[in-house]
Amino acid sequence: MKYVDVVLPLPLEDRFTYSVPSSFETVLVPGMRVTVDFRRKKTMALVAAVHETKPPFECKDILDVPDTVPVVTPQQFRLWQWIADYYIAPFGEVYNVALPGGLKTPGVYRPKTETCLALAPEYRDGMALRVAMEMLKRAKAQAKAFAVFLELSHNDTLITGGAAAGTSVGITRDELMNSAHCTAAVVKSLVDRKLLVTYEREVGRLNCDTQPCLENIKRLNEAQQDAYNRILMSFMKKNVVLLHGVTSSGKTEIYIHLIKQAMEQHRQVLYLLPEIALTVQIRERLQRVFGNRLGIYHSKYSDAERVEIWKKQLSDNPYDVILGARSAVFLPFTRLGLVIVDEEHETSFKQQDPAPRYHARSVAIMLAQACGAKTLLGTATPSAETYHNATTGKYGLVTLDRRYKDIQLPEIRVVDIRDMQRRKMMNGPFSPVLVKSVREVLEGGGQAILFQNRRGFAPMMECKVCGWVPRCTNCDVSLTYHKNMNQLTCHYCGYTYKLPEACPCCGNTDLKGRGYGTEKIEDKVMEVFPEARVARMDLDTTRTRTAYERIISDFSAGRTNLLIGTQMISKGLDFGGVGVVGILNADSMLNYPDFRAYEHAFTMMSQVAGRAGRKGRRGLVILQTKSPELPVISHVVHNDTSAFYAGLFEERSLFYYPPFYNVIYIFLNHRDENRVSTAAHELGNRLRSLLGNRVLGPDRPAVAKVKTMNIRKIVLKLEKTIDMSRVRRCLRSEIGRLESDTRYNSLKVYCDVDPL
């Protein structure tokens, strides 16, 4: 008797044992899916091990085996186990996030099919075929359609006594209708007469038309060629290399040459991007070169498309290049040779919800290491951890400090809006110099980008008489007003409220919006620049895959000339006509209560500034702030990465933060505020008895209630020399002990390792 240990797509640490019916004993291997009964519900489980050790309890039989080959490789299993261990998450959560929905839910995925037509077996000789043609003499439309079918399927040679050609392969119904210019009723009549038979043929949903055309690869200029050579030299000594190239230095072209080299060595490439929006432009560039050898994988693709890419990667003819967002690290690879993590600094690479809260950059490095592949991290503004690893010799470092065609970096002018507001010179959120610069570039036929990292119309509404502010009843935040929908929305739980006509506290009807979201900026732009063709790019306008493509293609083609956006527009987009970039309020990023605030502000402002002047004349960036004296502003203006990180590292080292210490956040959630507070103090005290002053808190985070759940936070700061595997075992043990306590029913505890 055989048994299987399986993993369920649930937040469970344990594996579950089922018995194997004799009919399935010879086909089951680890990595295959099986349908099992779990808590009276059919669930798609993943086989982790097959054995003959009878457990000390009565086992249920597995119900079905939908696979003939494994859908998860041993290499993937090992990587998923590393993710579960490192990020202190149940293996079931990793499985749930990694596999497309169609592969872990019975009956969800159905292959795409098309109706095909074939010649009926009894008419596959010349005599019978001539009889059939005689039968159709009076039905001219059917006779014409039948003749066209015979020609398209190469069965017309039978009439003259020739051999049948491809009689087992038919043509599609649509192909016949289009070629014969006939209706579906005519085709149905031929089927009803039993001259033709129909069958369903599986067809892929994926691009397979464009042939690779390596001749489309552009030649590298001198600086790019030098960087390319230094990367190859660094790969001889280091497994991970940082390409630190200024914005618009041509890093993507270097990536393409590296991909070509990997393909020539018959190795696969994983090309990771932080944002789905970026795949639109990069996809077009890569498809011109690599054609149908390129596969694309991200969450905006349908589940069926992702299932087919997964299956193709397991086939004998997988994609050579996968372009994707963070979830692409879970795909199966059989001969991976190179991993490229573009814009490696981006926070979008970090998964927040649902668990596991993994960082795709770290997972990609581990994936490459497991496959014997190399990893290239590319960015103009490295993350603190990556920059530290590169400058201390752990990673290789290649710099590219010249823009493509030696175009100058944009001029950055700092505008003190505190002084402008005091002198009443501001036009809403726009300073006079910004208005003048944008107007000049639009009148000259150029384009402009305005960056505001808040969506909605007004981040907060307020009663002008009593100061009442509408707040979410589920979360500890104020509500954002969305003018287009005329409603207040919580950006944490998604709940919507109708804007009250009067203040519920004092009855005043004068409710005003405070602050500017992208929606309000759009209204103001139309007022100040009525001639502008405006587009807005934020979470509200890009909820579908086609929305991204439409906004980007319209701006690239010049159909719109003024783009307003949140951080989405900072992520490596390449627009040739942008002459002016306006950063409307740098302080909203600088004043965020987080130890990474200055790092994120520096990278975001530098990246947004890099959208200006990428082709042609030098661009201009207007940086509006109330704190022009801050060193970080000067570092952005002078593009001085080394000086910025020198100051940052001194501060991080002093206060025990990354990259010098490991940080883990522990969050406790419960509907009852008293219970979560008591549980947090109990857990904090237990951890302090084990880890000493490395444990800080618990305390209330900046947002202490989300979706009716009260939150407490404990911070661990751990030196690099500590045994992290022992710390993780300790955390799992203490958290499990707390959650099993009947006093804390419904308490949820989770860890965020290397938080952003």
Side-chain angles (χ1 to χ4, degrees):
M1 184 75 178
K2 285 192 175 181
Y3 301 89
V4 288
D5 296 335
V6 302
V7 180
L8 299 168
L10 299 168
L12 301 170
E13 191 64 53
D14 298 328
R15 295 180 178 182
F16 296 84
T17 303
Y18 287 81
S19 53
V20 181
S22 56
S23 56
F24 296 136
E25 282 189 350
T26 58
V27 298
L28 271 180
V29 294
M32 294 175 72
R33 296 171 303 155
V34 290
T35 307
V36 299
D37 177 9
F38 184 73
R39 294 175 182 170
R40 299 180 181 178
K41 183 180 178 182
K42 282 187 178 181
T43 305
M44 190 71 78
L46 191 65
V47 176
V50 182
H51 58 86
E52 296 181 358
T53 306
K54 189 179 188 307
F57 51 82
E58 192 66 30
C59 287
K60 294 180 183 178
D61 279 352
I62 61 172
L63 304 178
D64 190 24
V65 181
D67 300 321
T68 56
V69 294
V71 297
V72 176
T73 65
Q75 179 182 286
Q76 284 176 288
F77 252 113
R78 289 191 293 271
L79 180 67
W80 295 4
Q81 189 61 61
W82 177 85
I83 294 171
D85 292 340
Y86 186 84
Y87 292 102
I88 315 175
F91 191 95
E93 285 186 327
V94 182
Y95 163 41
N96 188 44
V97 166
L99 225 60
L103 289 178
K104 61 178 185 275
T105 307
V108 168
Y109 170 72
R110 288 183 175 82
K112 184 179 179 181
T113 60
E114 60 186 0
T115 303
C116 295
L117 301 164
L119 190 62
E122 54 268 35
Y123 290 101
R124 291 179 184 173
D125 66 68
M127 180 69 71
L129 209 50
R130 282 190 287 274
V131 171
M133 297 293 285
E134 190 68 26
M135 288 166 52
L136 296 174
K137 270 191 173 181
R138 294 186 179 181
K140 292 184 178 179
Q142 293 177 35
K144 179 186 175 185
F146 191 62
V148 171
F149 168 82
L150 294 176
E151 182 181 352
L152 291 175
S153 61
H154 306 296
N155 284 302
D156 51 341
T157 56
L158 289 170
I159 300 175
T160 58
T167 52
S168 61
V169 179
I171 64 171
T172 68
R173 183 173 58 189
D174 290 343
E175 188 180 356
L176 176 59
M177 289 167 59
N178 291 334
S179 299
H181 305 291
C182 66
T183 63
V186 172
V187 176
K188 185 176 183 300
S189 298
L190 294 173
V191 174
D192 291 343
R193 284 175 176 263
K194 298 186 178 178
L195 299 174
L196 300 180
V197 292
T198 63
Y199 64 95
E200 295 297 313
R201 181 170 68 191
E202 184 175 338
V203 293
R205 295 174 170 88
L206 310 176
N207 164 55
C208 57
D209 299 328
T210 314
Q211 292 300 311
C213 190
L214 300 182
E215 296 77 20
N216 288 338
I217 296 181
K218 297 177 182 177
R219 291 189 62 180
L220 300 177
N221 63 23
E222 184 181 344
Q224 290 172 320
Q225 186 65 49
D226 180 56
Y228 173 80
N229 293 336
R230 283 186 287 139
I231 289 168
L232 294 181
M233 291 292 290
S234 294
F235 277 153
M236 295 173 70
K237 300 176 183 177
K238 307 286 184 182
N239 289 327
V240 183
V241 174
L242 168 64
L243 174 58
H244 181 198
V246 297
T247 54
S248 194
S249 57
K251 294 186 289 294
T252 305
E253 211 58 50
I254 295 173
Y255 301 155
I256 290 173
H257 279 257
L258 289 168
I259 293 170
K260 174 177 176 286
Q261 189 214 34
M263 289 175 62
E264 288 171 349
Q265 296 173 351
H266 305 289
R267 303 297 296 272
Q268 291 173 296
V269 179
L270 172 60
Y271 188 146
L272 288 179
L273 290 167
E275 197 73 53
I276 294 167
L278 289 181
T279 62
V280 178
Q281 290 188 325
I282 299 295
R283 181 191 65 203
E284 292 171 356
R285 291 178 67 174
L286 295 183
Q287 278 181 338
R288 282 197 295 269
V289 176
F290 303 113
N292 58 12
R293 303 315 306 148
L294 172 73
I296 300 165
Y297 191 86
H298 55 64
S299 59
K300 280 290 194 288
Y301 270 47
S302 71
D303 190 68
E305 287 173 313
R306 284 184 287 149
V307 169
E308 292 195 2
I309 291 175
W310 190 285
K311 289 188 170 184
K312 184 172 174 63
Q313 290 307 95
L314 289 167
S315 72
D316 294 332
N317 184 33
Y319 287 116
D320 291 319
V321 186
I322 289 289
L323 174 67
R326 61 175 179 257
S327 58
V329 296
F330 294 113
L331 281 171
F333 293 92
T334 53
R335 42 186 174 83
L336 187 66
L338 176 65
V339 175
I340 297 170
V341 185
D342 197 12
E343 309 295 345
E344 65 82 26
H345 64 277
E346 277 291 346
T347 57
S348 305
F349 281 126
K350 174 77 166 157
Q351 167 84 1
Q352 298 298 341
D353 284 304
R357 293 165 179 81
Y358 68 95
H359 198 300
R361 180 187 62 220
S362 300
V363 176
I365 291 171
M366 294 304 297
L367 169 65
Q369 181 178 309
C371 297
K374 302 295 184 181
T375 305
L376 181 66
L377 309 176
T379 179
T381 52
S383 64
E385 288 83 349
T386 297
Y387 191 74
H388 182 260
N389 286 335
T391 53
T392 56
K394 183 177 180 180
Y395 296 168
L397 175 61
V398 175
T399 56
L400 185 58
D401 53 12
R402 285 165 51 190
R403 273 188 155 192
Y404 188 66
K405 294 186 177 178
D406 291 325
I407 294 170
Q408 283 183 290
L409 285 167
E411 175 192 356
I412 302 179
R413 294 183 195 167
V414 180
V415 178
D416 186 350
I417 56 175
R418 185 197 299 273
D419 180 57
M420 294 281 181
Q421 288 171 344
R422 182 176 55 81
R423 292 193 282 166
K424 297 188 174 6
M425 296 176 66
M426 296 289 288
N427 188 346
F430 308 135
S431 62
V433 65
L434 178 62
V435 172
K436 180 175 179 290
S437 301
V438 171
R439 184 163 285 131
E440 285 177 356
V441 78
L442 295 182
E443 288 174 352
Q447 294 174 304
I449 290 177
L450 299 179
F451 171 71
Q452 176 75 348
N453 205 28
R454 293 294 296 267
R455 65 187 175 101
F457 186 82
M460 187 169 69
M461 299 297 288
E462 183 183 46
C463 172
K464 287 296 182 182
V465 174
C466 71
W468 172 81
V469 173
R471 303 185 69 83
C472 180
T473 57
N474 301 324
C475 309
D476 188 19
V477 293
S478 59
L479 297 169
T480 300
Y481 177 55
H482 288 255
K483 186 179 178 182
N484 285 351
M485 298 179 285
N486 191 33
Q487 63 186 18
L488 298 164
T489 301
C490 175
H491 288 172
Y492 282 81
C493 69
Y495 198 80
T496 57
Y497 302 77
K498 185 179 179 182
L499 181 68
E501 296 179 0
C503 172
C505 290
C506 68
N508 170 50
T509 57
D510 186 21
L511 299 178
K512 296 291 185 183
R514 284 181 56 189
Y516 286 86
T518 49
E519 197 178 335
K520 191 173 182 179
I521 297 292
E522 184 178 20
D523 274 12
K524 193 67 180 176
V525 161
M526 291 176 176
E527 177 188 318
V528 178
F529 308 105
E531 73 283 2
R533 303 184 299 278
V534 183
R536 175 162 57 92
M537 190 172 179
D538 56 28
L539 188 62
D540 297 320
T541 62
T542 56
R543 295 192 182 277
T544 64
R545 187 171 83 194
T546 55
Y548 279 107
E549 299 179 6
R550 176 180 49 79
I551 294 169
I552 291 170
S553 64
D554 284 352
F555 196 69
S556 296
R559 289 186 286 273
T560 54
N561 60 3
L562 201 156
L563 180 64
I564 302 159
T566 56
Q567 59 177 338
M568 290 180 180
I569 62 173
S570 72
K571 301 177 190 289
L573 293 170
D574 186 15
F575 300 120
V578 177
V580 171
V581 167
I583 299 173
L584 300 184
N585 186 1
D587 307 290
S588 63
M589 296 175 280
L590 294 167
N591 296 332
Y592 195 76
D594 185 84
F595 77 92
R596 292 188 187 271
Y598 275 25
E599 179 189 350
H600 291 165
F602 174 79
T603 57
M604 206 174 295
M605 287 189 284
S606 299
Q607 289 288 340
V608 171
R611 302 314 107 204
R614 296 174 72 88
K615 297 181 176 70
R617 64 180 184 177
R618 188 183 189 191
L620 173 66
V621 178
I622 308 298
L623 196 162
Q624 299 184 164
T625 176
K626 294 178 181 177
S627 309
E629 72 286 352
L630 288 175
V632 64
I633 300 296
S634 174
H635 295 145
V636 171
V637 170
H638 297 102
N639 192 40
D640 196 344
T641 304
S642 58
F644 170 74
Y645 279 116
L648 187 76
F649 288 162
E650 185 178 345
E651 185 180 278
R652 293 274 183 92
S653 177
L654 187 63
F655 293 103
Y656 306 151
Y657 279 116
F660 305 100
Y661 282 73
N662 296 315
V663 171
I664 299 175
Y665 290 165
I666 304 170
F667 291 97
L668 298 90
N669 295 5
H670 199 282
R671 293 187 188 279
D672 187 298
E673 186 168 6
N674 291 328
R675 285 196 192 184
V676 75
S677 182
T678 304
H681 280 92
E682 189 171 321
L683 180 60
N685 291 334
R686 286 181 189 171
L687 293 176
R688 238 184 305 276
S689 69
L690 297 167
L691 298 170
N693 60 6
R694 301 178 182 92
V695 181
L696 304 177
D699 64 4
R700 293 168 58 93
V703 179
K705 185 180 178 183
V706 174
K707 299 180 181 177
T708 72
M709 302 293 282
N710 294 284
I711 305 169
R712 292 297 181 270
K713 174 180 167 185
I714 297 172
V715 178
L716 303 186
K717 293 183 179 179
L718 307 162
E719 60 271 27
K720 292 288 186 178
T721 54
I722 198 170
D723 184 350
M724 287 301 296
S725 61
R726 188 174 176 184
V727 170
R728 292 185 182 97
R729 286 197 300 272
C730 162
L731 287 176
R732 286 183 187 274
S733 172
E734 293 301 333
I735 290 170
R737 181 178 165 192
L738 191 72
E739 289 181 325
S740 63
D741 193 323
T742 54
R743 292 175 298 159
Y744 305 123
N745 288 336
S746 304
L747 177 72
K748 293 182 180 178
V749 186
Y750 67 87
C751 297
D752 188 1
V753 180
D754 302 335
L756 291 183

